[in-house]
């Protein structure tokens, strides 16, 4: 297995874990906040908006720019 496939497997496992947490939060039994609630809370403050912008910029720069 090459390192590329190791990273792909790691990203896929993070994605699956995030989806599992979101589904658990939407069921309401786990006491977790949904992703919508988390992003709404982050967007209330200027620093949160700047951090969200920086995260989106980093994601787009690293994964979409070639």
């Amino acid at each position: 297995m090459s390192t590329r496939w190791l990273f792909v497997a790691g990203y896929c496992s993070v994605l699956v874990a995030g989806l599992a947490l979101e589904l658990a939060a939407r069921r309401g039994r786990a006491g977790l906040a949904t992703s919508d609630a988390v992003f709404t809370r982050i967007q209330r403050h200027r620093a949160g908006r700047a951090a969200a912008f920086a995260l989106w910029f980093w994601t787009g720069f690293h994964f979409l720019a070639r």
Side-chain angles (χ1 to χ4, degrees):
M1 178 181 273
S2 68
T3 57
R4 179 180 187 271
W5 288 108
L6 187 63
F7 279 106
V8 169
Y11 283 123
C12 287
S13 64
V14 167
L15 179 67
V16 168
L19 288 173
L21 282 173
E22 181 67 22
L23 288 174
R26 296 233 178 235
R27 291 177 90 184
R29 296 180 186 159
L32 299 170
T34 62
S35 60
D36 182 46
V38 171
F39 290 129
T40 300
R41 177 97 184 217
I42 288 171
Q43 293 294 324
R44 287 183 186 167
H45 304 286
R46 182 181 297 227
R49 288 190 297 270
F53 175 76
L55 179 66
W56 278 114
F57 182 78
W58 181 88
T59 301
F61 185 76
H62 283 83
F63 293 111
L64 302 176
R66 277 223 166 198

